[in-house]
C-alpha cells in the first residue's frame, strides 16, 4: 500500500512539473496555440472557462519570462513576438493587465528586443502594451497611488 501511495505521489509531482514549459521551444509552441477565440465568451464557453484560459495564458507568460530572465533559455524574436501577442490577448479579460507585470522583468533585461516584438503588433495593441508596461514600471518604483 505504501508503494502504491508513493508511486501515486511521485506521478502527481512529475505531472505537476511537466505541465510548465521547460524550454523556449515548448514555450513557443504553447504560446502559438493561444488565439483570440480562447478569450471569447460564447455559447460553448462560459466566463469561468475563459477566465481559466486567461490565467493559463498569464502563467505561460510568467514561466517563459522566468526561463529567459534566469538565463536557462535565450530569447529569440519569434518567442518575443508570441509573448507580446498573448499578453495583449489577456488584457480584454484581465483589467489589471497582469501580463505586463509578468513581462516587466524581461522588458527591463531586453528592452530593445521586446520593443522590436511590440512593433509587430497592430498599432492599437502596441500602444496599449507600451502604456501598460510603462504604468507597471512606474507602479513598481513609485507605488500604486
Amino acid at each position: 500500500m505504501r508503494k502504491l501511495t508513493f508511486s501515486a505521489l511521485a506521478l502527481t509531482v512529475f505531472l505537476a512539473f511537466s505541465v510548465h514549459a521547460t524550454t523556449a521551444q515548448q514555450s513557443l509552441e504553447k504560446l502559438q496555440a493561444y488565439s483570440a477565440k480562447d478569450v471569447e465568451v460564447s455559447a460553448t464557453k462560459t466566463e469561468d472557462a475563459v477566465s481559466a484560459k486567461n490565467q493559463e495564458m498569464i502563467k505561460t507568460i510568467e514561466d517563459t519570462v522566468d526561463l529567459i530572465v534566469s538565463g536557462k533559455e535565450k530569447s529569440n524574436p519569434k518567442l518575443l513576438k508570441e509573448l507580446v501577442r498573448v499578453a495583449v490577448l489577456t488584457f480584454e479579460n484581465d483589467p489589471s493587465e497582469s501580463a505586463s507585470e509578468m513581462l516587466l522583468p524581461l522588458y527591463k533585461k531586453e528592452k530593445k528586443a521586446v520593443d522590436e516584438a511590440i512593433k509587430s503588433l497592430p498599432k492599437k495593441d502596441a500602444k496599449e502594451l507600451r502604456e501598460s508596461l510603462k504604468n507597471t514600471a512606474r507602479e513598481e518604483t513609485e507605488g500604486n497611488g
Side-chain angles (χ1 to χ4, degrees):
M1 184 69 171
R2 286 186 102 184
K3 285 184 181 181
L4 182 60
T5 304
F6 179 74
S7 296
L9 178 62
L11 180 62
T12 303
V13 170
F14 173 75
L15 290 174
F17 284 110
S18 66
V19 170
H20 303 294
T22 56
T23 67
Q25 183 60 37
Q26 289 172 328
S27 291
L28 179 61
E29 290 169 6
K30 197 166 184 181
L31 290 164
Q32 287 175 328
Y34 296 128
S35 73
K37 290 182 180 181
D38 290 329
V39 291
E40 291 176 359
V41 177
S42 66
T44 58
K45 220 182 270 173
T46 66
E47 284 186 34
D48 288 341
V50 169
S51 179
K53 183 57 98 170
N54 211 57
Q55 289 304 312
E56 177 187 320
M57 293 163 86
I58 291 169
K59 181 66 175 151
T60 301
I61 292 168
E62 179 181 29
D63 292 344
T64 305
V65 168
D66 287 346
L67 278 173
I68 297 168
V69 171
S70 70
K72 293 178 184 172
E73 290 285 334
K74 290 186 177 186
S75 69
N76 62 66
K78 198 172 191 179
L79 181 59
L80 294 176
K81 286 178 184 178
E82 286 301 311
L83 276 169
V84 298
R85 181 188 68 82
V86 173
V88 170
L89 285 177
T90 67
F91 286 178
E92 187 170 326
N93 295 298
D94 180 22
S96 68
E97 298 181 351
S98 301
S100 291
E101 291 177 39
M102 303 306 119
L103 278 176
L104 191 59
L106 179 61
Y107 186 70
K108 287 179 175 181
K109 183 179 180 184
E110 300 185 22
K111 187 177 187 318
K112 186 175 178 181
V114 175
D115 278 335
E116 281 300 312
I118 291 172
K119 288 179 185 176
S120 71
L121 296 170
K123 288 185 181 195
K124 179 182 175 236
D125 292 341
K127 181 180 178 185
E128 185 177 6
L129 181 55
R130 279 191 185 100
E131 277 184 34
S132 183
L133 284 166
K134 178 181 164 188
N135 290 337
T136 301
R138 181 186 46 78
E139 287 174 10
E140 188 178 84
T141 57
E142 298 174 15
N144 189 10

